[in-house]
Structure formats: structure tokens, C-alpha cells
Amino acid sequence: MSEIFLDIETTGLSFKDNHKIVEIACIETKELIPTKRVFHKIINPERNVPEEAFKIHGFSSEFLKDKPKFHQIAEELVNFISNNDLIIHNASFDIPFINHELRLIKKNIIFKNKIIDTLEL
């Protein structure tokens, strides 16, 4: 069994305010030793990036406009993380964003029983 370390960057603090994911990065480990499998995508959020978010991650609306949209990378993401435990710092922020995007395209969501939140540890 493998573990996947996962992190995202977004346009803001809540998907409920129509903020979106702009980057997803995952690294696979086996027994916490990195394998060489990595999933990294920069994503077009299909909305403007507020200045506050740009100051955090450095992705401008102009830079993101020709990147793939979430629905275009979703299947690859799901395949990369499936059947693995996810290790996420502050999963209560990241998972709602990912699950919201997955729901929009009618894909299965990520369940909490597969997640280790380093913030909770």
C-alpha cells in the first residue's frame, strides 16, 4: 500500500464563494519513502484570481487561462490517488474543494476514512 501526500492552491478560502483550485500536487510514497511517482497539475479556475490569492501562490489569471480545466485532469487525479491513504496538511480545507469539483462532474468524492490530516496530528 502507498501513501499520497497531497496539497492544493486555490483562488480563495471557500468553494462556497465560487473559489476554485489552481494547482494540485501529489507525491506517492511507500512506507513514507518517496517513489518517483508525482502528479502535478496547474489548473484554469475559469474565474479571475484575486490579488490576495496571487500574493500567496503567484498564479495570475493571465498565466492560468490556457491551462487545463479541472474536468480535464480529474480522471488522472482520481486514478493517481485511488486505493491509497492521503496525507494532507489541513485536509478540512483541501478536501472540500476537491470534492466540490468532483461533484460538479459527477465523480465519486474522497472519503475522510482515507485521509490522515497532519494538522490534526
Side-chain angles (χ1 to χ4, degrees), residues 24-28 34-41 76 80:
I24 299 177
C26 303
I27 298 172
E28 180 189 67
T35 65
K36 291 191 179 187
R37 289 189 64 227
V38 173
F39 176 90
H40 180 246
K41 299 291 178 186
E76 188 180 354
F80 190 87

Side-chain angles (χ1 to χ4, degrees), residues 8-96:
I8 67 170
E9 294 295 338
T10 66
T11 61
L13 298 177
S14 176
F15 71 88
K16 293 176 184 175
D17 294 328
N18 196 35
H19 287 291
K20 305 286 251 164
I21 298 170
V22 296
E23 181 181 33
I24 299 177
C26 303
I27 298 172
E28 180 189 67
T29 63
K30 286 192 189 241
E31 298 181 15
L32 302 177
I33 309 277
T35 65
K36 291 191 179 187
R37 289 189 64 227
V38 173
F39 176 90
H40 180 246
K41 299 291 178 186
I42 298 174
I43 301 166
N44 177 348
E46 302 182 82
R47 61 155 291 157
N48 288 331
V49 176
E51 184 65 25
E52 300 81 27
F54 175 76
K55 287 178 183 176
I56 292 169
H57 52 59
F59 298 130
S60 68
S61 298
E62 181 67 24
F63 173 75
L64 296 169
K65 73 179 182 182
D66 66 345
K67 303 301 184 247
K69 297 173 179 128
F70 185 87
H71 72 88
Q72 295 172 302
I73 62 93
E75 192 69 32
E76 188 180 354
L77 171 66
V78 169
N79 289 338
F80 190 87
I81 66 175
S82 65
N83 300 320
N84 295 295
D85 288 330
L86 300 176
I87 301 173
I88 305 169
H89 185 75
N90 197 10
S92 64
F93 178 83
D94 293 11
I95 293 303

